[in-house]
């Protein structure tokens, strides 16, 4: 089996999920609660990866982070090269999984009763306190769903990785790329083993999520 | 006493009528904001709490400006020392009773916080239930938890939005008594929004009558209910007679009370002190020229007709019988009796038509 590729895929999925939690939670909170007039604009941009072919998104990211791209030029004085590197891959998959994280987050936040947020305000909690102590605890099923979907989605990504990362073993050669390589080389046995493993991991992650989300008698972790 | 809070605010809505309110609250006691649904009561409460920004106006609280739209001042809700009891209680479903009570006490040390939570739980009758989630409390317990949560921070003003409307059944009167006791104990000024007459009479020291987005009349609850400013307000108040009475004692399973110079018998609702309000609907009062034969009506009051007020098919008869009493007759029976102002008649009031409401003590 492709231990190295598997490890790389899991690392990428974990890092992407972490980054999406950091960026996606505030963004989703803004989307859920803001009454700004240009909110639909942001909503549309966030949802774009759902409809764009991965190759299109990958193409633009590649242009941006290439040596002549705006991001590439900005970072090159510090010796940072994003194209065909793990960091570039991380950037691309974060963008690509954005709707998978932000939409469940925002739906979870929007379902929190307005009254409980108002009650928190009358009890002296400012917006940040209210978010941390009232909104997040009530919206955790949505947050969990968003995190799991981003993880699983990143694990299975192919097109964006191929465009942005190429196929460098240990750096950008993820599981899905490895499986593709095996099939190209007619190594069906190796492809089948890796594919089965990926299927099992994805299924287990989703099963665990839905089990924890059960309203009646949720499974306990401990 | 100088007003503690003054508000002069206006709020308009794209749909529905605008709210334009000028009011003053004293630094003590319970002020009732009474009005039909849709009159703008809840908007006033939300504007005072800071949950809604008024279109224009000012709010001054004990010398501190909370809102001044002209000067661009707006103090957000979490910086106002206000407790708000929501109509649906708005408890935090993910926190226990203790967690709900402790929510607003973050600035205290853990030991002090625990002490205050324990004290408050006992005060609102929830001792021993500290680890329960709100979903596992009865309606009355939820209401008391919400009240405790609002008061445990020791706010300087308490706002209550229809505090009893989410509760029903026979326990409601008892819960109203509990609420009255807790409000008295708490000793902070309160503004209570309601459209329930009994609640207004039992809990209010003062009453502001709101209709169509404006405050139309103010005074003691009994005053406003018995002397509405005009016909529209009388309709809003929806009452016949409201009179303060002294409870004399039980008699044949009824209660004898003294109203002005007259006495009445009424069913005992329980829990009355020495004073109460008697509410008598106009339909429950019949008029006779002479003592009727064999009538079983308990309350027979010699009365003088003060005025007649004709409305389509009905006549509202204002009587003086030791206290002002109102009767609602059909125009037909009014003609049969040939009533004229100044006539002497006999007012027959069925005991069951007299509804006693506890009066606020002191």
């Amino acid at each position: 089996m492709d231990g190295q590729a598997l490890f790389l895929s899991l690392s990428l999925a974990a890092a992407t999920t972490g980054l999406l939690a950091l960026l996606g939670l505030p963004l989703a909170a803004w989307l859920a609660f803001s009454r700004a007039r240009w909110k639909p604009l942001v909503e549309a941009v966030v949802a774009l990866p759902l409809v764009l072919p991965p190759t299109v998104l990958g193409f633009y990211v590649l242009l941006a982070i290439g040596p002549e791209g705006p991001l590439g030029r900005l970072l090159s004085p510090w010796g940072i090269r994003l194209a065909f590197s793990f960091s570039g891959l991380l950037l691309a998959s974060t963008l690509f999984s954005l709707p998978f994280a932000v939409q469940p987050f925002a739906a979870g936040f929007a379902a929190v009763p307005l009254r409980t947020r108002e009650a928190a305000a009358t009890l002296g909690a400012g917006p940040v306190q209210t978010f941390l102590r009232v909104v997040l605890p009530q919206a955790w099923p949505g947050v969990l769903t968003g995190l799991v979907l981003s993880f699983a989605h990143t694990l299975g990504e192919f097109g964006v990785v191929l465009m942005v990362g190429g196929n460098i073993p240990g750096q950008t050669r993820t599981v899905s790329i490895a499986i593709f390589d095996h099939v190209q080389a007619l190594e069906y046995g190796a492809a089948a083993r890796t594919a089965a493993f990926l299927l099992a991991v994805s299924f287990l992650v989703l099963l665990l999520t839905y089990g924890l989300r059960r309203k009646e008698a949720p499974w306990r972790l401990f | 006493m100088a007003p503690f809070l003054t508000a002069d605010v206006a709020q308009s809505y794209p749909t529905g009528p605008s709210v334009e309110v000028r009011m003053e609250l004293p630094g003590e006691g319970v002020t009732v904001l009474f009005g039909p649904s849709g009159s703008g009561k809840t908007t006033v409460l939300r504007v005072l709490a800071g949950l809604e920004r008024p279109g224009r106006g000012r709010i001054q609280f004990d010398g501190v400006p909370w809102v001044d739209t002209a000067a661009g001042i707006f103090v957000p809700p979490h910086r106002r020392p206000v407790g708000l009891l929501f109509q649906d209680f708005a408890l935090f479903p993910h926190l226990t009773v203790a967690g709900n009570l402790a929510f607003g006490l973050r600035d205290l040390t853990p030991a002090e916080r625990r002490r205050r939570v324990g004290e408050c739980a006992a005060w609102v009758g929830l001792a021993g239930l500290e680890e329960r989630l709100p979903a596992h409390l009865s309606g009355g317990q939820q209401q008391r938890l919400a009240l405790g949560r609002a008061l445990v921070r020791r706010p300087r003003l308490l706002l209550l939005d229809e505090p009893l409307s989410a509760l029903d059944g026979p326990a409601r009167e008892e819960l109203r008594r509990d609420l009255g006791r807790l409000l008295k104990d708490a000793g902070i000024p309160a503004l209570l929004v309601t459209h329930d007459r009994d609640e207004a009479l039992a809990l209010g020291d003062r009453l502001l009558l709101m209709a169509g987005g404006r405050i139309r009349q103010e005074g003691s609850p009994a005053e406003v209910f018995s002397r509405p400013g005009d016909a529209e307000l009388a309709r809003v108040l929806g009452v016949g007679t409201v009179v303060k009475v002294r409870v004399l004692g039980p008699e044949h399973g009824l209660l004898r009370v003294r109203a002005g110079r007259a006495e009445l018998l009424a069913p005992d609702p329980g829990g009355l002190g020495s004073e109460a309000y008697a509410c008598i609907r106009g339909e429950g009062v019949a008029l006779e020229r002479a003592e009727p034969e064999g009538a079983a009506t308990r309350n027979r009051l010699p009365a003088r007709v003060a005025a007649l007020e004709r409305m389509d098919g009905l006549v509202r008869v204002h009587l003086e019988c030791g206290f002002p009493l109102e009767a609602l007759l059909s125009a037909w029976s009014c003609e049969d009796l040939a009533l004229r102002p100044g006539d002497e008649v006999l007012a027959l009031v069925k005991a069951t038509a007299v509804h006693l409401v506890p009066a606020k003590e002191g």
Side-chain angles (χ1 to χ4, degrees):
Chain A
M1 255 198 359
D2 307 89
Q4 198 181 42
L6 206 64
F7 177 75
L8 186 72
S9 274
L10 289 173
S11 312
L12 182 65
T16 303
T17 307
L19 204 58
L20 280 173
L22 221 60
L23 303 173
L25 287 173
L27 178 59
W30 184 84
L31 283 177
F33 303 136
S34 164
R35 272 175 282 179
R37 216 171 295 170
W38 42 284
K39 189 163 99 173
L41 193 75
V42 181
E43 280 175 314
V45 169
V46 168
L48 262 184
L50 289 176
V51 293
L52 275 188
T55 44
V56 172
L57 188 88
F59 174 68
Y60 283 118
V61 172
L62 192 60
L63 281 190
I65 64 179
E68 296 304 313
L71 215 57
R73 261 195 297 213
L74 196 72
L75 294 174
S76 61
W78 285 279
I80 301 173
R81 206 185 53 118
L82 285 179
F84 305 111
S85 73
F86 183 81
S87 317
L89 218 50
L90 180 58
L91 174 75
S93 46
T94 301
L95 284 177
F96 192 53
S97 286
L98 199 60
F100 291 85
V102 168
Q103 288 187 348
F105 291 172
F109 296 159
V112 171
L114 170 67
R115 285 276 172 275
T116 59
R117 286 192 284 132
E118 291 185 338
T122 65
L123 294 168
V128 175
Q129 284 282 327
T130 300
F131 179 70
L132 294 176
R133 298 171 64 204
V134 173
V135 175
L136 262 189
Q138 288 188 78
W140 73 264
V143 173
L144 184 67
T145 304
L147 293 176
V148 168
L149 283 182
S150 344
F151 187 87
H153 186 238
T154 309
L155 209 57
E157 184 36 42
F158 178 75
V160 168
V161 178
L162 203 61
M163 291 296 285
V164 177
N167 189 356
I168 307 167
Q171 273 198 49
T172 63
R173 187 171 187 256
T174 60
V175 171
S176 50
I177 306 274
I179 294 172
F180 183 69
D181 279 354
H182 287 314
V183 173
Q184 291 287 66
L186 300 176
E187 300 159 0
Y188 280 15
R193 279 192 298 277
T194 312
F197 188 82
L198 202 59
L199 178 66
V201 169
S202 307
F203 176 70
L204 279 177
V205 167
L206 292 174
L207 181 65
L208 190 66
T209 312
Y210 286 112
L212 286 173
R213 280 193 57 167
R214 276 206 323 174
K215 273 236 149 55
E216 299 301 319
W219 301 344
R220 305 258 167 200
L221 269 185
F222 303 104
Chain B
M1 189 175 11
F4 185 56
L5 178 143
T6 57
D8 180 358
V9 291
Q11 180 80 307
S12 52
Y13 294 98
T15 60
S18 64
V19 172
E20 224 177 300
V21 159
R22 198 170 300 164
M23 64 189 286
E24 293 181 347
L25 287 185
E28 58 180 24
V30 178
T31 304
V32 168
L33 188 58
F34 185 93
S37 46
S39 59
K41 311 179 298 280
T42 298
T43 299
V44 172
L45 213 64
R46 292 175 58 79
V47 165
L48 290 180
L51 297 174
E52 233 169 90
R53 223 180 247 260
R56 65 175 170 77
R58 301 156 123 187
I59 300 175
Q60 183 104 4
F61 177 85
D62 201 15
V64 180
W66 275 358
V67 173
D68 187 340
T69 48
I73 294 173
F74 178 80
V75 177
H78 62 279
R79 301 234 168 78
R80 299 187 191 189
V82 164
L84 174 56
L85 181 63
F86 289 85
Q87 188 172 0
D88 55 4
F89 311 142
L91 297 168
F92 301 126
H94 60 294
L95 296 176
T96 59
V97 167
N100 269 278
L101 290 175
F103 188 90
L105 300 176
R106 265 174 61 88
D107 299 339
L108 304 181
T109 63
E112 174 68 8
R113 190 157 56 228
R114 256 196 310 280
R115 195 183 63 74
R116 283 268 280 277
V117 166
E119 241 175 52
C120 183
W123 180 61
V124 295
L126 294 175
L129 303 177
E130 284 91 341
E131 297 314 313
R132 288 237 187 134
L133 286 173
H136 299 136
L137 297 176
S138 73
Q141 288 169 335
Q142 291 185 11
Q143 185 232 36
R144 294 202 304 271
L145 173 58
L147 184 67
R149 184 181 66 174
L151 285 173
V152 73
R153 303 177 68 228
R154 301 186 182 148
R156 299 189 52 211
L157 173 68
L158 180 65
L159 306 171
L160 304 104
D161 191 5
E162 310 253 2
L164 295 160
S165 67
L167 309 167
D168 46 24
R172 195 168 153 158
E173 280 187 27
E174 195 186 322
L175 292 166
R176 190 177 66 209
R177 275 197 291 279
D178 287 349
L179 180 62
R181 179 180 57 78
L182 291 171
L183 287 179
K184 195 174 170 190
D185 277 8
I188 62 163
L191 181 68
L192 184 148
V193 159
T194 184
H195 64 257
D196 181 295
R197 179 188 62 188
D198 293 5
E199 228 169 283
L201 288 170
L203 298 171
D205 296 301
R206 271 177 79 239
L207 188 135
L208 306 174
L209 174 57
M210 203 167 171
R214 312 278 187 281
I215 288 175
R216 302 280 305 275
Q217 195 177 345
E218 62 177 287
S220 79
E223 226 170 82
V224 175
F225 276 106
S226 48
R227 283 191 279 284
D230 58 43
E232 188 204 344
L233 297 182
R235 203 163 45 246
V236 164
L237 291 164
V239 292
T241 303
V242 176
V243 60
K244 195 155 196 176
V245 299
R246 172 159 291 283
V247 177
L248 299 176
E251 195 174 310
H252 298 294
L254 296 171
L255 213 54
R256 179 170 286 278
V257 299
R258 164 164 288 282
R261 282 178 290 106
E263 287 186 9
L264 289 168
L265 283 165
D268 186 356
L272 294 184
S274 59
E275 297 211 307
Y277 291 105
C279 306
I280 307 168
R281 303 206 73 92
E283 302 89 307
V285 181
L287 298 183
E288 294 288 346
R289 278 294 185 180
E291 182 88 11
E293 298 284 323
T297 309
R298 285 297 133 207
N299 297 306
R300 299 144 185 265
L301 309 166
R304 201 171 47 78
V305 177
L308 298 166
E309 194 185 325
R310 286 167 205 285
M311 325 178 291
D312 38 11
L314 295 175
V315 181
R316 195 184 289 266
V317 185
H318 298 273
L319 301 157
E320 180 51 56
C321 62
F323 63 91
L325 178 69
E326 210 179 283
L328 197 61
L329 304 184
S330 67
W332 190 9
S333 51
C334 194
E335 257 151 51
D336 275 1
L337 288 166
L339 290 180
R340 299 275 178 283
D343 286 358
E344 300 289 334
V345 291
L346 196 64
L348 305 174
V349 186
K350 280 197 284 188
T352 47
V354 183
H355 171 55
L356 294 178
V357 178
K360 186 142 174 149
E361 304 280 330

